[in-house]
Amino acid sequence: MLIPEELRVKARELAGRIPYQLIKDSPTVKYYTQWSLFDNCVESSNGNSPPPPIELNEYDLVVHNGLLVKGSELTSNDAATGIDPSESRIIARHFVNVREIQSLRIGNSSNSSVKVMMSYSGESNEMHSNHVIINVDEGALANVFLSIIGNGGCGTNITELNIGDGAVVNLLVYSVNVDPAFNLIRVNEGVKAMVNSYSIIVNGRMTHHREDYVLQGRESSVNVNSLEVGSGSSRLDYMVNLMHYGENSISNSITRAIALDSATVIHRGFGRISEHGKWSSTNIEGKVFIGSSNAVGMSVPVIMVDTGDVNGARHSASDASLDEEQELYLRMRGLSREEAIKLIVYDMVMGFLDNINGEFTSSVKYIRSSLLKLLRI
């Protein structure tokens, strides 16, 4: 689906005057995301670079540098974006730069699985934008694997997942980036819809990865399990928003983060129960492992409740590192500090992957191999 010209004109006008963020993240850190790096990114009309060297036959839909590479038989023109370019400068710039929006529908006739890859590559200052809309019919059961692969150049990747009443979606997200990247996944849930989500976000010079779960329908629910890993000099800002607008809705988010070498890894969780979301409950947990004295890791959960009628609102954050007693214990058993840290990281990564829904067995196998190579463990 081509971008309406009036939307592109509006986005271009907004991109020149609205900010990336309305407020700072904290008094001591201006922004967890270094938005200034995105100012160096320029729009590019060059979509001709090849997709990454991945077996494309494993995917049902492939979008590279804004163009459809595979899966034309799955796409349709019956959906309009629900994202407003006035939300932020980076979203406005996305709509200026994106070439096409791909839309597909998952029916309720049988159990459905779909694998989607959004990839981008180019010169370090080239911006490439991908946008996919997935509509899930009422009562459907769907397994969705979303892979976001950046091999150079700036990337903006937006996925909209609209889930009909009574539908159940198992969602697996794997994102690996190199240069500055903005990823937005927005999930809208209908009445009694259910989402089980697993996300793995790895590396990037500056990766801002945001997931919005909008529980619009009564008795809708979401369970989010996330693994965030930064190595080398990467910087990650992972944000989970749990927005309750339907009564008796339930959300739960647990994030495990790993900061290695000189990486900076941030987890932010925001749970909001609106005045219309009475008798709802939300829970946000963040657990950070800091594997180096040069690494920075933190978890910042926030809860906001606009009604006095709630079933629960809870958040917690913790961080850990290899202390002297643990190091001494492991050294007595023949392990160096570096080997001990690799062992801890390996255990965290494998433990997370082993708990992913069995419907994603082949995708998890690929992720496991990819992570072991990236982290050299």
Side-chain angles (χ1 to χ4, degrees), residues 76-295:
S76 63
N77 293 315
D78 61 354
T81 178
I83 307 290
D84 190 335
S86 65
E87 290 185 28
S88 71
R89 178 180 293 183
I90 193 64
I91 291 178
R93 294 189 65 189
H94 169 84
F95 280 110
V96 171
N97 193 57
V98 69
R99 307 174 76 178
E100 298 176 355
I101 295 179
Q102 311 301 332
S103 173
L104 63 95
R105 173 176 164 267
I106 298 177
N108 61 1
S109 56
S110 62
N111 294 1
S112 299
S113 297
V114 62
K115 296 182 179 181
V116 178
M117 181 171 72
M118 295 194 294
S119 66
Y120 60 93
S121 60
E123 298 298 325
S124 60
N125 66 333
E126 286 184 345
M127 177 181 286
H128 293 288
S129 302
N130 300 307
H131 197 134
V132 174
I133 300 173
I134 303 173
N135 295 310
V136 180
D137 284 357
E138 295 182 5
L141 172 59
N143 303 303
V144 179
F145 174 46
L146 174 62
S147 180
I148 303 172
I149 305 297
N151 281 325
C154 305
T156 66
N157 305 281
I158 292 181
T159 304
E160 300 176 63
L161 184 56
N162 302 310
I163 303 173
D165 296 348
V168 177
V169 173
N170 298 309
L171 174 64
L172 174 58
V173 178
Y174 181 52
S175 173
V176 181
N177 300 281
V178 178
D179 289 321
F182 169 81
N183 303 325
L184 171 61
I185 299 171
R186 182 162 296 168
V187 180
N188 299 298
E189 296 187 46
V191 174
K192 295 185 179 181
M194 178 186 296
V195 174
N196 299 303
S197 175
Y198 307 88
S199 296
I200 303 105
I201 303 96
V202 186
N203 288 346
R205 183 182 172 198
M206 180 68 257
T207 297
H208 177 103
H209 184 100
R210 190 174 106 209
E211 298 178 9
D212 297 343
Y213 295 91
V214 186
L215 291 89
Q216 296 174 326
R218 58 178 174 81
E219 299 182 45
S220 56
S221 64
V222 61
N223 188 44
V224 184
N225 288 279
S226 309
L227 177 66
E228 184 184 10
V229 186
S231 63
S233 58
S234 59
R235 186 180 180 100
L236 288 81
D237 180 16
Y238 171 54
M239 186 171 188
V240 180
N241 293 314
L242 307 170
M243 313 299 289
H244 293 258
Y245 297 107
E247 294 182 353
N248 292 105
S249 52
I250 301 171
S251 67
N252 182 59
S253 173
I254 299 176
T255 297
R256 299 164 182 83
I258 302 172
L260 303 172
D261 306 319
S262 59
T264 297
V265 175
I266 310 297
H267 158 247
R268 290 187 286 158
F270 180 62
R272 181 172 185 177
I273 301 178
S274 73
E275 60 182 2
H276 302 291
K278 294 180 178 180
W279 308 294
S280 296
S281 65
T282 184
N283 175 60
I284 300 173
E285 298 178 31
K287 303 176 182 180
V288 182
F289 174 72
I290 303 172
S292 167
S293 59
N294 295 320

